[in-house]
Amino acid sequence: MYRDVVASLATRHGKRVALGPPLRRHLGLRLRVPDVDTDALGTFTGEVARPGPARQVVVAKARLGMDATGCPVGVASEGSFGPHPSAPWCGLQVEHVALVDDRLGLVVLETVTTVASNHGDLLTDGTDRGELLAFARRTGLPGHALTVVPAVPAPDAPLAPVKGIVRVATLLAAVAAAGAASRDGRARVAADLRAHHHPGRMAVIAEAGRRLARRLATPCPGCDAPGFGLVASHPGLPCSGCGTPTELVAERVHGCGLCAYRRTERVRPGADPGLCPHCNP
Ligand SMILES: [Zn+2]
Ligand SMILES: [Zn+2]
């Protein structure tokens, strides 16, 4: 279905390195990167708000590339970072990848969720240089880059974010400028989350690409369309001791993007009583 097909990949951040090899190896699909402004669909530094949830934006981004190239098949990825819902002190990184195939009317999505390695930011007026350099080291400078913006931007004199900072001299100058342009005199320093400046994120995008490729290589048992795979999982796995439903996954539903074929897999055996709200409250 995808052997020697050329798909567009809308990215300005070098994601071909991560997504190209698995799609070529598993499917024979080749990627073409058009010159499109993916920042129009949102930036991590906040100058442009993302116009919707990541699962919609990744499809819009794929279509942006298809429009620019005329390819009937398009690929894109979209990441989001935020606090972990059950452990707010660590960051959660979610990477979505999508393949849109207008020949079939098919949209296939895959998602990888992981704990983010360098989530969080630092507010500083620049006087505590030790704190600033320790933050830079923790973020992974110079292999990973930083961004700097004013902490409280003056509405009449907006200052563009400085991105891709990998040198200490550039960091110090950016913090001084952003502090001077902020109403509280402080700069906000954070990891640059754009993939080409974030090897940790690029590795997660590559994993998402492998999952997408494996899924696309799996035909639907009902209609033979590519992309059969997990569409839902339901908690409630019964405790193996007393049968009380737990929060663990009890069944996984695999489905097709084109037809209504579904296959439900029940998880066996039951849950460890140590994870049961009744046996181990
Ligand atoms: Zn099907
Ligand atoms: Zn139990």
Side-chain angles (χ1 to χ4, degrees), residues 44 50 79-96 111-120 193 198 201 204:
F44 287 117
R50 191 161 62 193
S80 47
F81 290 77
H84 196 292
S86 56
W89 57 90
C90 53
L92 192 70
Q93 175 186 355
V94 184
E95 294 291 344
H96 300 273
T111 301
V112 175
T113 301
T114 177
V115 173
S117 51
N118 51 7
H119 173 73
L193 300 173
H198 200 306
R201 188 172 164 226
V204 180

Side-chain angles (χ1 to χ4, degrees), residues 41 44 61 74 93-94 110 124 148 168 184 208 219 228 230 242 250:
L41 293 173
F44 287 117
K61 199 185 271 187
Q93 175 186 355
V94 184
E110 267 295 349
T124 176
V148 174
V168 170
D184 69 351
F228 189 74
L230 189 68
C242 73

Side-chain angles (χ1 to χ4, degrees), residues 238-259:
C239 169
S240 57
C242 73
T244 301
T246 66
E247 288 184 3
L248 299 183
V249 170
E251 55 181 34
R252 295 192 177 90
V253 183
H254 295 256
C256 172
L258 279 191
C259 78

Side-chain angles (χ1 to χ4, degrees), residues 18 33 59 79 89 100 128 132 134 137 160 181 210 212 221 236 239 273:
V33 178
V59 173
W89 57 90
V100 177
D128 190 343
L132 179 57
R137 249 194 322 275
R210 284 189 287 275
L212 179 69
C239 169

